């Protein structure tokens, strides 16, 4: 039995959460001058009709926004000249690239300037078969994790749906190739901005055409939010940042863990597996001398025993503001061996683009 409500019951306590991606709509038609990006073809059709245009213009607008990446309606040559000019100032919702740095392996980190002047970071990570985009969900982050440059920079606001979708289109345009995968692992805690993240997931899936299974939402764990997220029965991967295999370590590294004990977080993750039938990925940043001992590995294996999960170990990328170091290869290997001996599915993910300062929050901190 579940100690907490099943999805159908969850909706009564979370009225703002739609039941599926198809039901996620923007509030575009209610706005006088909306940012258009993030809107579905139905929303865009309603909007062009409000502007006195025939409904088929909605589909044209959708194509020009998501496939051609227009930044102004003035660029849409299939629209009548008079309307094009009249609607030229309608906000589309695109950012500008403020700065970008490219690592030798091609990983590219962008600082994007938003309409209100705020700066966010986005990373494009190319491999022979994929182009992955690491997107931000907030300007800054309120979680203040001790090892994270973003956490040390403070928090300003949630990102709107269009500001999340724009990051993916920007990387796609700059690389000149389609984005295949998206990870919500940039600035911010996505489950503190669930409505906009859900709307962006819908748009990225249905408007941009990226498969749900190719998208990952990463969280340090916000009480009840994982259960609420599960209620949508999405096919996206949920990644939970553990970073510590006991309560004391988690509190040291993630201040918010004080309000959300590890045992409760793991119980909610088990519910997620029960509700969605999908395994959870656990992220664990390896910090030398802090959480990389064999005892920590044993504790981690015990936490996850019998759990449908996968562990991603991420050797730490040092930042100026934190006193942490990356463990050496031998220590990482020993940690992996302990988990494998205990039948925990594990992989080591070396953060790409170290030379481009591409670890969480570092590029912005250095500008
Ligand atoms: S690690 Fe993630 S959740 Fe923690 S402060 Fe950094 S961006 Fe926020």
């Amino acid at each position: 039995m579940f100690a907490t409500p099943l999805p159908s019951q969850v909706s009564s306590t979370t009225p703002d959460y739609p039941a599926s991606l198809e039901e996620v709509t923007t509030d575009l038609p209610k706005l006088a001058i909306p940012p258009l990006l993030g809107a579905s073809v139905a929303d865009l059709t309603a909007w062009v009709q409000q502007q006195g245009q025939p409904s088929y213009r909605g589909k044209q607008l959708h194509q020009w926004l998501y496939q051609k990446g227009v930044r102004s309606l003035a660029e849409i040559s299939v629209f009548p000249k008079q309307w094009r000019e009249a609607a030229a100032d309608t906000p589309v919702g695109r950012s500008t690239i403020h700065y970008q740095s490219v690592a030798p392996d091609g990983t590219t980190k962008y600082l994007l300037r938003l309409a209100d002047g705020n700066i966010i970071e986005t990373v494009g990570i190319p491999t022979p078969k994929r182009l992955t985009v690491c997107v931000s969900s907030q300007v800054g982050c309120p979680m203040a994790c001790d090892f994270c440059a973003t956490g040390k920079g403070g928090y300003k606001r949630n990102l709107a749906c269009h500001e999340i979708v724009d990051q993916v289109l920007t990387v796609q345009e700059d690389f000149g190739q389609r984005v295949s995968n998206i990870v919500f692992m940039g600035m911010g805690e996505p489950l503190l901005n669930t409505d906009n993240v859900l709307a962006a997931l819908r748009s990225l899936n249905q408007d941009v055409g990226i498969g749900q299974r190719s998208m990952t939402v990463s969280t340090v764990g916000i009480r009840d939010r994982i259960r609420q997220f599960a209620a949508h029965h999405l096919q996206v991967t949920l990644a939970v940042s553990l970073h510590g295999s006991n309560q004391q370590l988690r509190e040291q590294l993630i201040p918010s863990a004080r309000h959300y004990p590890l045992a409760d977080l793991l119980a909610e993750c088990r519910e997620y597996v029960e509700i969605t039938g999908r395994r959870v990925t656990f992220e664990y940043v390896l910090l030398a001398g802090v959480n990389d001992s064999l005892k920590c590995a044993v504790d981690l294996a015990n936490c996850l025993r019998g759990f449908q999960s996968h562990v991603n170990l991420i050797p730490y990328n040092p930042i100026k503001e934190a006193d942490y170091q990356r463990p050496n290869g031998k220590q990482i290997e020993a940690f992996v061996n302990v988990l494998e001996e205990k039948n925990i599915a594990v992989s080591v993910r070396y953060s790409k683009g170290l030379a481009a300062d591409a670890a969480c929050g570092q590029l912005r901190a250095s500008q």
Side-chain angles (χ1 to χ4, degrees), residues 45-367:
T45 300
W47 184 74
V48 297
Q49 286 176 312
Q50 280 180 359
Q51 308 302 307
Q53 295 296 313
S55 59
Y56 68 87
R57 297 265 181 238
K59 203 167 179 188
Q60 289 178 327
L61 178 54
H62 189 267
Q63 280 172 347
W64 283 72
L65 278 179
Y66 295 104
Q67 290 172 26
K68 296 184 188 283
V70 290
R71 290 169 176 268
S72 162
L73 268 57
E75 298 171 42
I76 305 180
S77 56
V78 293
F79 282 178
K81 190 165 180 280
Q82 203 182 4
W83 185 50
R84 222 161 61 206
E85 285 169 2
D89 291 336
T90 305
V92 164
R94 298 302 309 269
S95 66
T96 53
I97 297 177
H98 171 67
Y99 179 86
Q100 72 188 86
S101 80
V102 185
D105 64 7
T107 297
T108 305
K109 190 152 184 174
Y110 305 85
L111 297 186
L112 303 181
R113 184 182 293 282
L114 306 177
D116 64 0
N118 276 312
I119 302 280
I120 56 166
E121 58 186 44
T122 303
V123 186
I125 306 162
T127 56
K129 290 192 177 159
R130 291 178 176 181
L131 175 58
T132 300
V133 183
C134 177
V135 297
S136 294
S137 56
Q138 297 180 312
V139 182
C141 183
M143 305 309 285
C145 298
D146 200 48
F147 53 87
C148 172
T150 297
K152 292 190 182 303
Y155 165 76
K156 284 199 175 157
R157 67 170 173 87
N158 280 334
L159 290 184
C161 168
H162 69 272
E163 292 168 326
I164 298 172
V165 176
D166 163 75
Q167 296 174 60
V168 176
L169 295 187
T170 297
V171 174
Q172 194 157 270
E173 289 159 10
D174 192 50
F175 273 81
Q177 85 185 71
R178 282 189 65 79
V179 166
S180 60
N181 295 71
I182 295 168
V183 292
F184 281 75
M185 293 183 184
M187 302 168 86
E189 163 52 61
L191 296 191
L192 288 179
N193 186 18
T194 319
D195 286 353
N196 288 311
V197 167
L198 278 170
L201 288 172
R202 186 216 61 77
S203 180
L204 292 168
N205 177 228
Q206 293 173 10
D207 304 323
V208 182
I210 298 166
Q212 285 192 39
R213 285 173 180 267
S214 301
M215 298 195 260
T216 297
V217 173
S218 176
T219 177
V220 293
I222 309 293
R223 190 185 286 282
D224 295 333
R225 296 291 172 102
I226 290 174
R227 187 178 305 115
Q228 290 168 356
F229 194 70
H232 302 294
H233 291 276
L234 305 181
Q235 295 296 304
V236 303
T237 298
L238 180 73
V240 175
S241 297
L242 274 190
H243 305 328
S245 51
N246 60 55
Q247 180 60 16
Q248 196 187 349
L249 253 180
R250 280 202 99 229
E251 285 186 20
Q252 178 187 333
L253 299 171
I254 306 170
S256 64
R258 269 177 239 140
H259 311 292
Y260 193 24
L262 178 59
D264 292 359
L265 170 61
L266 290 172
E268 204 172 322
C269 289
R270 284 182 199 280
E271 283 180 48
Y272 180 89
V273 175
E274 295 264 6
I275 292 168
T276 64
R278 292 181 61 75
R279 75 178 185 182
V280 174
T281 296
F282 289 104
E283 309 277 338
Y284 193 100
V285 171
L286 280 170
L287 305 160
V290 177
N291 66 356
D292 66 338
S293 69
L294 300 189
K295 164 87 170 60
C296 285
V298 171
D299 286 351
L300 181 59
N302 288 338
C303 283
L304 303 181
R305 195 187 299 136
F307 208 118
Q308 205 180 326
S309 66
H310 183 94
V311 174
N312 260 337
L313 297 175
I314 307 155
Y316 179 64
N317 282 340
I319 63 168
K320 276 180 257 163
E321 304 92 326
D323 290 332
Y324 296 110
Q325 296 300 323
R326 170 183 285 216
N328 62 37
K330 256 184 156 177
Q331 191 62 26
I332 295 168
E333 201 183 321
F335 200 97
V336 169
N337 288 344
V338 169
L339 293 179
E340 284 182 339
E341 279 163 16
K342 293 185 176 292
N343 295 319
I344 304 291
V346 58
S347 53
V348 182
R349 197 184 76 217
Y350 285 90
S351 295
K352 293 200 77 186
L354 193 55
D357 284 340
C360 180
Q362 290 182 34
L363 183 66
R364 185 161 178 270
S366 67
Q367 289 302 297

